[in-house]
Amino acid sequence: MATTYEAEDLARPGQEVALKLLAPEAAELAPWLRREYLTLRRVLHPCLLRVFDFGRFSEGSQERLFYTSERVHGETLDRYARGRSWDSVAPAVVDALEALRFLHDMELLHGDLQPANVLVDHQGRATVVDLGCSRPFGASSRPCGRPGFVAPEVLAGGRADGRADLFSVGATLVALSRLLAAPCLLYT
């Protein structure tokens, strides 16, 4: 749907931002990108991506849409977890769960929680990104999200609530357990 680039915000000299640019072949998804931006604009939480600006420009005969957000210096949760202990990965998972709790308190489904949508900085703190599949609890939508991390009710096109994100949390924990330095017990 889109590609994210590192950029300098000319309106805020010296500030690095991430620029999410809608792909030219995905022009029909413009409402989706705008909805993602508007959702992120109203959900302010330290473990969720902070957005700044939404814009458009012309490239030839095509209109391109983008938004800018904070630049998270780090790596995806799966890359971060590779070869580490559970104890060093757990704080990032807790941050992702805090972000989900906040969204669920607002009755919003993230809709695409997976290791690639959790960015972990150099201190081991996480930021949840990519709310392109988010929607209010109970809203039906076409299936969206990475295969293997999407709850069955979402795949069936049904109405979903926070339990669908919890399915994604379970799939994420299974994926992480395969990457850790040693097997771990996720509960006692």
Side-chain angles (χ1 to χ4, degrees), residues 43 45-48 93-110 113 128 137 162 165-166 169:
V43 292
H45 187 277
C47 299
L48 286 168
V93 172
V94 170
D95 287 345
L97 291 171
E98 283 294 324
L100 283 181
R101 183 183 57 82
F102 181 78
L103 290 172
H104 294 174
D105 285 349
M106 296 182 72
E107 296 194 359
L108 286 173
L109 179 71
H110 180 279
L113 187 78
V128 174
F137 284 179
D165 280 340
L166 294 180
V169 168

Side-chain angles (χ1 to χ4, degrees), residues 66-144:
F66 68 91
Y67 70 75
T68 61
S69 67
E70 68 181 309
R71 164 75 168 87
V72 179
H73 292 276
E75 56 193 330
T76 60
L77 181 57
D78 50 346
R79 288 183 184 148
Y80 181 80
R82 189 173 306 283
R84 292 182 183 265
S85 70
W86 169 250
D87 290 343
S88 65
V89 174
V93 172
V94 170
D95 287 345
L97 291 171
E98 283 294 324
L100 283 181
R101 183 183 57 82
F102 181 78
L103 290 172
H104 294 174
D105 285 349
M106 296 182 72
E107 296 194 359
L108 286 173
L109 179 71
H110 180 279
D112 193 20
L113 187 78
Q114 56 170 300
N117 287 339
V118 178
L119 301 179
V120 184
D121 68 18
H122 303 297
Q123 288 78 40
R125 305 314 309 197
T127 301
V128 174
V129 301
D130 197 350
L131 271 71
C133 294
S134 70
R135 60 180 177 259
F137 284 179
S140 59
S141 176
R142 71 179 192 182
C144 181

Side-chain angles (χ1 to χ4, degrees), residues 4-81:
T4 303
Y5 300 94
E6 185 177 325
E8 181 180 344
D9 189 334
L10 299 178
R12 298 171 186 90
Q15 183 173 350
E16 284 183 348
V17 295
L19 185 139
K20 188 168 185 176
L21 179 63
L22 189 64
E25 62 275 7
E28 75 280 358
L29 297 177
W32 215 333
L33 185 73
R34 184 164 182 74
R35 188 177 68 238
E36 178 184 13
Y37 169 79
L38 292 172
T39 299
L40 283 165
R41 189 83 180 157
R42 68 184 178 110
V43 292
L44 299 174
H45 187 277
C47 299
L48 286 168
L49 189 68
R50 213 168 23 118
V51 294
F52 303 124
D53 298 305
F54 187 88
R56 66 185 75 227
F57 66 92
S58 294
E59 186 175 66
S61 63
Q62 288 192 318
E63 182 177 77
R64 303 284 305 272
L65 298 179
F66 68 91
Y67 70 75
T68 61
S69 67
E70 68 181 309
R71 164 75 168 87
V72 179
H73 292 276
E75 56 193 330
T76 60
L77 181 57
D78 50 346
R79 288 183 184 148
Y80 181 80

